[in-house]
Amino acid sequence: MIIADEVRSALEDGRGVVALESTIISHGLPTESSARVARQIEHAVRGSGAVPATIAVVDGQVRIGLDDAGLERIATDPVVVKSSIRDLGNVCAAGLTGATTVASTAYLAHRAGIRVFATGGLGGVHRGAAHSFDESADLPALASVPIALVCAGVKSILDVGATLERLETLSVELVGYGTSRFPGFYIQDSGYAVPWVARSADEVAAVLRARDGLGLPQALVVANPIADGKEMPRDLHDATLASGLEALAAQGITGKDVTPFLLAWFHEHTHGVSLQANIDLVLGNAQVAGEVACALTR
Ligand code: PSU
Ligand code: MN
């Protein structure tokens, strides 16, 4: 595991550090914009006074903090492997380049001593999971990694209600950031409530400290809705989701390809509307994560 110099010195000096995942860059956004967005996400973390650490596997080596060439490679190289926890052994042993998911990023960030992590939307229970058993490895990973994850809820392509039930079963603590409603990724309100509300970065930091004091091993999910005026129009969202799910079934897509397929479907079929929402929500999460990381140092 190679920790970038800037990240290592920030950790040693007790400054705020935010982990960032790389699958959103390689598989979640169109290639034309992904390098630019990856830089914007890091910029948003810096804007809050924290140091970004984008995590990926480059030529078989885990990197905690990517330089610009690494970021560009993850964004544009078509052979980059979507790497969840169970892929890490093979990707590293074969010297491959892999983009880490929420699950593997959380695991690696925690090993590096990072306390706060930002992504777009958490993975979860897929629609039809009662038959397919398709539940993201993000959920069990968060049950065993004590990190704060700032996200815009779970992706709306999922079964949100079932995902919330699983988060409860797995004892993953959940707070709404300035809201009592669980966000729906592209939209502010998924239709479900959250059990707890945090009104500021300092309140989130207080929850984290309390959890640390008790030695709780699970993650804290900080659900931060997309900003006012930035969410996708509801009817466009619902129609695109319906057609995307039909295409998914018709083409027989399964396993780790499901989420990238549906995200790409949205980006293509909304002519950039979902892409802009995805960018806006992840930048908002990066900013809040930076504020939480700094609040933890106070
Ligand atoms: N959030 C986004 N875009 C993404 C993802 C999250 O805005 O592409 C990625 C994350 O890496 C997450 C993964 O871990 O999607 C979930 O994939 P799966 O459903 O196969 O577990
Ligand atoms: Mn899956």
Side-chain angles (χ1 to χ4, degrees):
M1 202 159 87
I2 299 174
I3 303 182
D5 289 343
E6 187 195 16
V7 175
R8 184 179 293 283
S9 51
L11 288 168
E12 281 169 5
D13 300 349
R15 284 181 286 135
V17 176
V18 173
L20 299 167
E21 58 134 328
S22 43
T23 294
I24 181 171
I25 305 167
S26 64
H27 289 73
L29 296 165
T31 307
E32 311 82 73
S33 56
S34 55
R36 175 177 55 86
V37 176
R39 292 185 186 106
Q40 287 178 322
I41 299 170
E42 292 204 342
H43 189 74
V45 170
R46 290 186 196 283
S48 298
V51 171
T54 303
I55 295 180
V57 184
V58 179
D59 298 324
Q61 261 169 334
V62 170
R63 300 270 173 169
I64 310 291
L66 288 182
D67 58 14
D68 204 62
L71 214 61
E72 183 75 29
R73 181 133 171 239
I74 295 292
T76 56
D77 190 334
V79 302
V80 172
V81 182
K82 176 180 170 184
S83 307
S84 198
I85 291 174
R86 75 158 186 180
D87 304 298
L88 289 175
N90 272 278
V91 169
C92 290
L96 301 176
T97 295
T100 49
T101 63
V102 167
S104 50
T105 305
Y107 174 78
L108 295 168
H110 173 62
R111 271 184 82 89
I114 300 174
R115 310 290 328 278
V116 184
F117 170 17
T119 184
L122 175 61
V125 180
H126 283 262
R127 292 161 194 249
H131 298 285
S132 68
F133 276 67
D134 188 356
E135 172 182 338
S136 176
D138 292 355
L139 296 186
L142 293 183
S144 62
V145 179
I147 198 164
L149 173 65
V150 183
C151 61
V154 297
K155 285 179 273 281
S156 50
I157 57 175
L158 300 169
D159 184 334
V160 178
T163 304
L164 286 169
E165 292 290 355
R166 290 289 292 145
L167 287 170
E168 180 177 349
T169 302
L170 295 166
S171 298
V172 174
E173 194 151 359
L174 172 61
V175 296
Y177 194 72
T179 179
S180 59
R181 308 299 300 168
F182 190 58
F185 194 59
Y186 298 129
I187 49 182
Q188 286 189 319
D189 183 351
S190 67
Y192 293 85
V194 287
W196 298 98
V197 179
R199 282 168 206 83
S200 65
D202 285 308
E203 280 191 23
V204 175
V207 175
L208 273 169
R209 286 193 200 100
R211 294 184 54 82
D212 279 354
L214 297 169
L216 288 167
Q218 306 88 359
L220 170 69
V221 170
V222 180
N224 178 43
I226 188 170
D228 288 337
K230 303 276 194 183
E231 66 175 358
M232 267 186 83
R234 202 61 200 242
D235 44 357
L236 177 63
H237 174 272
D238 293 352
T240 310
L241 179 56
S243 62
L245 291 170
E246 262 175 46
L248 184 79
Q251 297 182 35
I253 311 253
T254 56
K256 68 200 270 189
D257 299 329
V258 170
T259 297
F261 176 87
L262 287 173
L263 291 175
W265 182 272
F266 263 89
H267 296 330
E268 276 163 36
H269 290 80
T270 66
H271 306 288
V273 175
S274 71
L275 175 60
Q276 192 55 51
N278 203 340
I279 294 170
D280 290 334
L281 68 87
V282 72
L283 293 180
N285 294 342
Q287 185 193 326
V288 168
E291 289 166 6
V292 170
C294 291
L296 267 178
T297 68
R298 286 196 280 274

